[in-house]
Amino acid sequence: MTEQELVDGCIREDRICQRELWNRYSRKIMSLCLRYCNSQEEAEDALMEAYVKIYDNLSKFRFQSSLETWMRRVAVNLCINKIRARKHIWTSITEDEYRLGYNDDAFEHLQVDQIMKLVEALPVGYRTVFNMYAIEGYSHKDIAEMLGIDEGTSRSQFAKARKVLQQQIHKSEGGSQAS
Amino acid sequence: MMENQRFHSELRDKLLDLESPFNERVSFEAVMKKREKKKRRIILWIPSMVVVAGLFVVGGLGMLWVNTDQDPHKVQQVSLSKTIVKPKSNVKPNPSNRITAEAEKSTRIGESAKVNRPSKLGGFTGDSRVAVVSPSFLEDAKTVDQSNLVVSAVSETTASVQTTAEAKAFVGEDLLCDPQGIETVSIGFSDPLKDHVEIPEGEYEAQWDPALLKSKWYAEFAATTGSSVVVNFNEDDRLSILGNIYHANYHGLILKDVGRGFMLGAGLSYGEMLGTGEWRVREYEERISIDSYDLVVMIPPVQTVRVYDTTVSQVRVETVGQLSFRIDKYAIPLAARYNFMLGKMAWRAAAQLNPGLTIKTAGDFFTNTEYAAITSQKNLTMDVKLAVGPTISIFNNWFLVLEPNLMHHTYRNLKSGESRGKTLTGFGVSVIHHF
């Protein structure tokens, strides 16, 4: 079933198409939700809510991107709304601190599952910006608009997230070498 | 430079393609269920919001009306710009004067009636006229925003005679308005003769014209419902009844405002009282059971002896049956009403006595512990109703009273002299029209 057929079917409220949409993308969206949410339960709730939104708004999908990208965007927006509702306090760092930069090579030695676990363990602010910037590919400007924060705050959150991640990787590497 | 600090594309793709499992509670069916629930919520939410918004608007308009009428601002003056002439110094102003205008200029005023009665005006006597100011004229005057303003005018035949003008606005006067504003009872049922209008400085107070007084008569139409649950769980009672009694009462009344917020009236009412239930009788019966068996005595000569064992036991026997009754009646209600203010809300307390006759009866009337057949079709009835509720203005001269109420119904069999009754509580709605 092509994306077009799938979307048309879902708009017609065709249960087979709707189920196919669920089967095809629900696990990927769940993975996305897990990266943004604090717990498995919260992520599952976000997944269901995201799908309700997707089914309700599929008629607005204009095929300007892939269906998956559109669905991811819906889910990200939903997760961000949840985060914003929690009134998270964002902390910022100085530009110099940000410019220090960190080496991504450390990530190369890790499995995706390990990276996921490390990302999930990040504090909410770091995690959200890291997910949006490093994984979803949003710009800091977009992130700032979506999260209602300064662009500088977004940058600093990302820098801190990387720093924490690298520290965690080094820790785990050190631990494995010692053993 | 900074924007390039993203993840490695390979890692990123891996993360994006990563699939994570979820619990069993998360399923396609659960999502669909959630979606249906959301849709249902929207369907219910929209009409309920419309109803709530409507209630707010009606309530708001009612409160606005009440507040506007109770504002202690000065009554607006009709300024008959070209027709008003300041009093000459040799003529004393008389507070009993009404609007006066030069006769020839009163053509702008649509004369509705002429009253050929003498009226005093600064020592002179002339023809009195009751005139209605046309709305267009009022627009010209730019001082009055109400179109059905009534003014009285007295014109002098002599042009040089002093003329004064006074306008009295009765527009939209309603029963929730107390112009005095300081009476304990202040929703407009007080004696209108006592009312006063704040007279602006330099103007002359107008006398009340009885023809302009508001009517003291009201009509009320009401529907009252109520119910009572009849229940008896006392195991010691031989008879216990479980049931419900309902009533619906409709009446029309003519009420008269007797002042100080009280209204008295009478009318006609029709009522229905229905009951359905179940009776249960618990009785204890003594039951005797006799067992017998044969005993063989092996001592020669061998004999067989039949032994009887008698047991007496008490058994509770329950008998149940259905109950229902219906009483239809007409009555002539005698009503007393008391209107009062609580904060900015008008309230009404109602007491009503409904002496009447049944026109149709059927079945068995019941209370918690007894029931009896209604043997006669013609019974005297006497119902007493007590209610208190807020009064809401719905249109000009139309009011709605929401009345939680308590109503005691009784009937008396004319032949046996037996009386039975029951108190029911419920809710009623009254619509009042002010004539």
Side-chain angles (χ1 to χ4, degrees):
Chain A
M1 201 182 288
T2 64
E3 272 189 3
Q4 178 79 50
E5 287 167 345
L6 199 61
V7 171
D8 290 344
C10 288
I11 293 169
R12 285 197 314 271
E13 297 287 328
D14 183 343
R15 278 295 158 106
I16 296 166
C17 293
Q18 287 173 333
R19 188 179 283 278
E20 175 62 25
L21 190 75
W22 171 264
N23 292 337
R24 211 181 273 188
Y25 299 110
S26 59
R27 287 173 186 278
K28 281 186 180 177
I29 302 291
M30 179 64 190
S31 166
L32 180 150
C33 293
L34 269 173
R35 278 192 281 113
Y36 283 88
C37 297
N38 287 332
S39 64
Q40 174 85 14
E41 286 74 25
E42 203 181 314
E44 286 169 353
D45 288 341
L47 170 69
M48 290 205 285
E49 279 179 46
Y51 257 91
V52 169
K53 271 196 192 300
I54 288 163
Y55 286 133
D56 287 345
N57 295 290
L58 257 178
S59 56
K60 292 175 188 166
F61 177 55
R62 296 280 169 255
F63 294 95
Q64 287 165 356
S65 62
S66 72
L67 179 61
E68 189 186 336
T69 308
W70 182 79
M71 288 173 68
R72 296 185 81 89
R73 194 168 274 264
V74 171
V76 168
N77 286 341
L78 191 128
C79 292
I80 285 167
N81 282 342
K82 279 178 176 284
I83 291 163
R84 287 184 68 169
R86 283 203 298 262
K87 305 249 183 263
H88 177 77
I89 298 165
W90 307 88
T91 53
S92 56
I93 57 168
T94 61
E95 191 72 5
D96 290 340
E97 217 176 333
Y98 177 72
R99 281 173 191 281
L100 287 173
Y102 296 95
N103 188 4
D104 272 347
D105 293 343
F107 290 102
E108 285 179 7
H109 309 294
L110 293 174
Q111 296 294 315
V112 179
D113 289 351
Q114 287 173 304
I115 296 172
M116 268 293 283
K117 276 181 186 166
L118 288 173
V119 170
E120 281 173 32
L122 285 171
V124 183
Y126 300 173
R127 188 174 67 214
T128 308
V129 175
F130 184 85
N131 276 325
M132 292 178 80
Y133 184 77
I135 302 172
E136 309 296 339
Y138 289 96
S139 68
H140 281 303
K141 197 180 170 189
D142 292 339
I143 295 167
E145 276 176 20
M146 289 169 83
L147 294 175
I149 56 174
D150 292 339
E151 213 176 313
T153 310
S154 172
R155 288 175 198 281
S156 67
Q157 294 286 316
F158 177 64
K160 282 182 177 179
R162 288 165 69 104
K163 191 179 175 184
V164 172
L165 276 175
Q166 283 191 340
Q167 282 171 351
Q168 292 296 324
I169 292 165
H170 288 311
K171 246 187 225 175
S172 60
E173 277 176 356
S176 59
Q177 278 170 8
S179 62
Chain B
M1 181 190 76
M2 281 174 252
E3 297 294 322
N4 292 332
Q5 292 181 337
R6 296 184 197 264
F7 245 13
H8 291 296
S9 57
E10 198 182 326
L11 260 178
R12 202 180 138 213
D13 290 343
K14 277 183 184 173
L15 275 168
L16 289 175
D17 288 337
L18 189 68
E19 294 189 349
S20 299
F22 38 78
N23 285 328
E24 282 177 6
R25 76 177 182 97
V26 182
S27 64
F28 173 70
E29 284 73 24
V31 171
M32 285 297 149
K33 209 173 173 182
K34 200 167 185 171
R35 208 170 154 228
E36 285 300 314
K37 210 185 261 182
K38 189 183 161 195
K39 273 186 189 169
R40 228 177 297 143
R41 216 163 36 224
I42 291 167
I43 289 165
L44 288 171
W45 188 79
I46 293 169
S48 60
M49 281 310 290
V50 170
V51 169
V52 169
L55 284 172
F56 267 105
V57 168
V58 170
L61 287 174
M63 290 302 290
L64 185 69
W65 189 9
V66 171
N67 291 344
T68 308
D69 289 342
Q70 289 186 338
D71 273 353
H73 62 74
K74 293 179 178 180
V75 174
Q76 284 181 327
Q77 207 70 25
V78 177
S79 171
L80 304 175
S81 56
K82 290 181 182 176
T83 62
I84 296 171
V85 180
K86 282 190 175 179
K88 288 180 179 175
S89 56
N90 62 342
V91 182
K92 285 184 182 174
N94 188 340
S96 66
N97 285 348
R98 301 190 166 279
I99 287 177
T100 59
E102 288 179 36
E104 58 272 21
K105 291 191 178 176
S106 67
T107 50
R108 294 187 70 183
I109 299 171
E111 290 180 11
S112 64
K114 287 184 179 179
V115 184
N116 290 322
R117 65 180 181 205
S119 85
K120 287 182 180 176
L121 181 71
F124 294 95
T125 304
D127 291 337
S128 302
R129 294 183 185 196
V130 177
V132 177
V133 178
S134 69
S136 61
F137 172 72
L138 293 174
E139 279 169 21
D140 291 341
K142 291 182 179 176
T143 54
V144 174
D145 56 355
Q146 299 125 330
S147 60
N148 54 345
L149 188 86
V150 180
V151 297
S152 298
V154 176
S155 64
E156 273 296 333
T157 49
T158 313
S160 62
V161 173
Q162 163 234 354
T163 57
T164 59
E166 175 66 43
K168 175 77 183 84
F170 292 97
V171 182
E173 188 175 324
D174 56 84
L175 87 173
L176 291 177
C177 165
D178 174 22
Q180 292 188 33
I182 52 168
E183 289 281 311
T184 50
V185 175
S186 56
I187 60 167
F189 299 117
S190 53
D191 188 350
L193 287 171
K194 282 185 178 177
D195 292 351
H196 79 274
V197 176
E198 195 175 339
I199 305 299
E201 217 173 304
E203 301 291 344
Y204 305 105
E205 189 176 1
Q207 222 177 24
W208 281 94
D209 184 344
L212 299 175
L213 292 179
K214 292 286 280 186
S215 164
K216 290 181 176 180
W217 293 92
Y218 298 84
E220 177 185 312
F221 309 96
T224 308
T225 58
S227 66
S228 176
V229 177
V230 175
V231 64
N232 181 15
F233 289 121
N234 190 352
E235 293 287 317
D236 296 333
D237 287 335
R238 180 179 166 271
L239 173 69
S240 57
I241 292 167
L242 260 77
N244 284 299
I245 298 177
Y246 311 93
H247 84 91
N249 218 74
Y250 313 95
H251 72 238
L253 293 173
I254 298 293
L255 294 161
K256 192 189 177 192
D257 172 10
V258 293
R260 305 193 72 79
F262 284 98
M263 293 164 86
L264 296 175
L268 191 67
S269 84
Y270 169 73
E272 289 174 357
M273 196 176 175
L274 301 163
T276 54
E278 185 183 85
W279 58 263
R280 187 174 59 178
V281 173
R282 290 186 208 89
E283 284 174 318
Y284 292 92
E285 284 180 4
E286 279 191 350
R287 287 192 181 166
I288 298 168
S289 55
I290 302 167
D291 293 327
S292 62
Y293 54 92
D294 293 336
L295 192 71
V296 180
V297 181
M298 297 301 286
I299 303 163
V302 176
Q303 293 177 31
T304 304
V305 180
R306 175 157 289 182
V307 178
Y308 291 93
D309 186 5
T310 306
T311 312
V312 179
S313 59
Q314 205 170 40
V315 181
R316 194 171 85 165
V317 181
E318 279 191 359
T319 318
V320 293
Q322 298 295 316
L323 279 171
S324 67
F325 72 85
R326 182 191 179 98
I327 298 172
D328 294 356
K329 55 197 167 187
Y330 278 111
I332 299 170
L334 307 170
R337 307 280 188 254
Y338 177 62
N339 300 278
F340 58 100
M341 296 292 291
L342 265 182
K344 292 211 165 191
M345 193 79 191
W347 291 75
R348 190 181 82 162
Q352 195 169 309
L353 206 60
N354 290 6
L357 277 172
T358 57
I359 50 168
K360 185 183 172 187
T361 61
D364 302 303
F365 188 84
F366 58 84
T367 61
N368 291 17
T369 52
E370 60 176 5
Y371 69 90
I374 307 169
T375 50
S376 173
Q377 288 292 311
K378 297 287 175 199
N379 300 281
L380 280 178
T381 63
M382 181 66 81
D383 304 337
V384 180
K385 179 183 151 186
L386 298 172
V388 182
T391 305
I392 300 159
S393 129
I394 42 177
F395 297 111
N396 198 14
N397 292 330
W398 286 91
F399 304 91
L400 188 75
V401 187
L402 307 175
E403 291 183 309
N405 67 76
L406 182 145
M407 198 161 176
H408 184 70
H409 296 257
T410 55
Y411 72 91
R412 183 180 175 83
N413 191 324
L414 288 171
K415 289 174 191 166
S416 65
E418 193 178 31
S419 296
R420 291 179 193 282
K422 188 76 191 163
T423 304
L424 290 85
T425 52
F427 188 77
V429 177
S430 296
V431 177
I432 301 168
H433 176 59
H434 184 197
F435 291 114

